[in-house]
Amino acid sequence: MSYRSPLIVIGSLLIISVSCIKEEYDMNKLIVAGQWAPEIAIPLVHSTLGVEDLLEPSSEPSHLSTLPDGLMMLIYKDTLFSQKADSFITFPPGVPIINNYPNSDTIILNVDSIDLNLKVYNKLMGGSFYFENPKMNVIVTNSIGMKLDITLTILDAWSPINGGMNIVLDGTSAPITFTPSPAYPAIPGISAVTTYIYDETNSNIKNFLALAPKYLYYAVKGIINAPPVIFPNFVTDTSRFSVEVEIELPLYGTANFLTIGDTIPFQLGINDPSDTDVVVTSAVFVINTYNGFPVNTRMQLDFVDFNGVIVDSLFYAGQELVMAAAPLGPAPVLRVTGRTHQVTEVAVDKARLDKIATATELIVRGELTTTNNGTALVKIYSDYTIEIKLAVRAKLGLVGK
């Protein structure tokens, strides 16, 4: 799932807007007798975005789900590891099944990692999320017909922003042995599934999620047929066991000064003297937002040239509030009670337009903060929307005038 914060959406729309000035109006036609307009107003974009537009559905391993009351939930699921029986048990040639296997075998999986790929964190540069009622399911699927003990000898969360943390399950950090042992099938051809559920009552899931983790690091020790050996048992050459991790994040909590950034290609596309006698001498971009989310959004756009040098910034005074948080209703429902309307105007003269015209990339930066500076719990429901209207007032002049 690719995450698109409101500020990155607005930045993208600004790129669309400046390129639309020439597309919307034929500059040469504006100087035909009776049609000369030294100032024009152009409506450029009118877009309404919902939760699924901002958390855009794509491929696994994560997806967006809607709970019965309309609360949104982000779900991540991936395989931690999977091991086939014939990788640690030797089968005689032509023998696909061994009954009453007498040995105990130890499997060691060295340190590895999985990219959690929680898209809400992928553009994060600072700040933190706090989730209420998160849950982690560890799912063991076993088609080996004998007792299996699994111990996580390493289990850590790591964030490029906030560093690492030991994950605590059932009151202990690694080594963690799943208790009771995972179930195993009584007959070949089927799998037994055991799910271990961890929440704030039996783990430190809230704390390690507050890191904005990108990776889980783990190492595993497995014992097949741990003493005392239980008979009857069996193992086939297609038997395997696997461990999956599933993280459920209800969009219920706080966002505290989340610093988000992205870099996107940019081309101004106006004031090219090769195909028109008319130039834009100044412009005022008008951003109207109607925000139905309980989130304040501040942003800044930096224009970067081919050499990686910032040639101009949209807001000279620093990050600007472009969306104010919608008013919030009472707990426990915590639904917004309306939308906030914010108007932002940005004046750009020809000197700035000429500098911006040298830019090839746009750096979008900003902060997201939930209601009351990230101190009040909020919930994100499926019917929340942001409406964005973008227009430009452009003053025109003749080349050389």
Side-chain angles (χ1 to χ4, degrees):
M1 179 175 305
S2 61
Y3 176 69
R4 302 192 300 170
S5 75
L7 65 94
I8 292 173
V9 170
I10 293 173
S12 301
L13 293 180
L14 278 171
I15 291 177
I16 295 170
S17 74
V18 294
S19 65
C20 283
I21 294 175
K22 287 180 73 176
E23 295 174 7
E24 192 78 16
Y25 287 84
D26 184 333
M27 295 297 192
N28 285 317
K29 287 184 179 179
L30 289 172
I31 61 173
V32 175
Q35 289 187 299
W36 170 242
E39 182 169 323
I40 58 174
I42 310 172
L44 298 169
V45 174
H46 184 184
S47 182
T48 300
L49 305 170
V51 182
E52 292 191 6
D53 299 306
L54 299 174
L55 290 171
E56 187 177 41
S58 58
S59 59
E60 295 296 340
S62 57
H63 70 275
L64 202 60
S65 177
T66 305
L67 299 178
D69 63 354
L71 181 68
M72 302 303 294
M73 176 183 288
L74 185 63
I75 300 174
Y76 167 90
K77 187 175 182 180
D78 203 358
T79 299
L80 203 63
F81 60 87
S82 180
Q83 197 79 7
K84 196 176 176 185
D86 63 5
S87 67
F88 53 86
I89 294 176
T90 300
F91 288 79
V95 178
I97 184 170
I98 299 173
N99 289 297
N100 294 324
Y101 185 71
N103 301 330
S104 293
D105 295 303
T106 299
I107 307 158
I108 301 295
L109 299 179
N110 294 320
V111 178
D112 203 346
S113 66
I114 57 169
D115 186 343
L116 284 176
N117 202 27
L118 292 169
K119 299 291 188 176
V120 291
Y121 297 140
N122 278 3
K123 304 297 183 182
L124 198 60
M125 300 166 63
S128 62
F129 283 106
Y130 170 81
F131 289 99
E132 278 287 304
N133 304 331
K135 187 170 70 170
M136 182 171 71
N137 302 316
V138 178
I139 305 162
V140 180
T141 303
N142 180 23
S143 61
I144 301 172
M146 61 184 74
K147 184 182 177 185
L148 168 65
D149 288 342
I150 299 176
T151 299
L152 298 173
T153 55
I154 294 174
L155 185 61
D156 298 329
W158 185 82
S159 163
I161 302 167
N162 300 308
M165 178 182 293
N166 295 333
I167 295 178
V168 175
L169 305 179
D170 288 328
T172 184
S173 57
I176 302 168
T177 299
F178 291 118
T179 305
S181 297
Y184 56 91
I187 59 174
I190 64 172
S191 297
V193 178
T194 306
T195 301
Y196 301 90
I197 300 173
Y198 301 100
D199 56 26
E200 61 188 290
T201 67
N202 62 354
S203 74
N204 65 341
I205 185 171
K206 279 189 175 181
N207 294 332
F208 80 73
L209 286 175
L211 287 177
K214 181 170 177 58
Y215 294 105
L216 286 185
Y217 287 92
Y218 64 90
V220 180
K221 176 182 178 181
I223 301 178
I224 303 294
N225 237 6
V229 174
I230 299 173
F231 298 106
N233 66 46
F234 71 88
V235 60
T236 72
D237 57 0
T238 58
S239 295
R240 70 168 56 243
F241 72 95
S242 64
V243 177
E244 296 173 293
V245 61
E246 180 181 67
I247 297 176
E248 299 179 359
L249 300 177
L251 298 187
Y252 170 30
T254 63
N256 188 18
F257 299 102
L258 296 179
T259 304
I260 292 176
D262 200 6
T263 301
I264 47 183
F266 175 82
Q267 183 178 7
L268 183 60
I270 60 174
N271 287 356
D272 179 0
S274 63
D275 63 353
T276 180
D277 294 324
V278 179
V279 294
V280 178
T281 59
S282 65
V284 177
F285 294 97
V286 183
I287 307 169
N288 268 279
T289 60
Y290 300 82
N291 185 15
F293 285 77
V295 177
N296 294 295
T297 301
R298 305 180 69 85
M299 72 176 295
Q300 177 63 284
L301 303 179
D302 294 324
F303 302 93
V304 181
D305 68 12
F306 180 78
N307 296 312
V309 177
I310 296 176
V311 295
D312 203 357
S313 298
L314 189 64
F315 303 111
Y316 277 178
Q319 292 183 357
E320 183 90 7
L321 181 69
V322 294
M323 285 195 298
L328 195 61
V333 178
L334 295 174
R335 267 192 171 273
V336 298
T337 58
R339 302 193 301 174
T340 56
H341 178 211
Q342 183 88 13
V343 179
T344 305
E345 295 195 358
V346 183
V348 183
D349 60 21
K350 187 175 185 301
R352 290 188 66 191
L353 287 171
D354 289 343
K355 285 194 296 182
I356 293 171
T358 67
T360 58
E361 290 184 324
L362 184 67
I363 298 175
V364 185
R365 296 181 289 112
E367 285 183 347
L368 305 179
T369 305
T370 48
T371 301
N372 293 338
N373 289 325
T375 61
L377 290 173
V378 303
K379 293 182 177 181
I380 305 300
Y381 288 94
S382 59
D383 57 351
Y384 285 2
T385 60
I386 298 168
E387 185 180 2
I388 301 172
K389 296 180 179 180
L390 190 59
V392 63
R393 298 195 303 272
K395 288 189 177 180
L396 308 177
L398 298 175
V399 175
K401 301 295 184 181

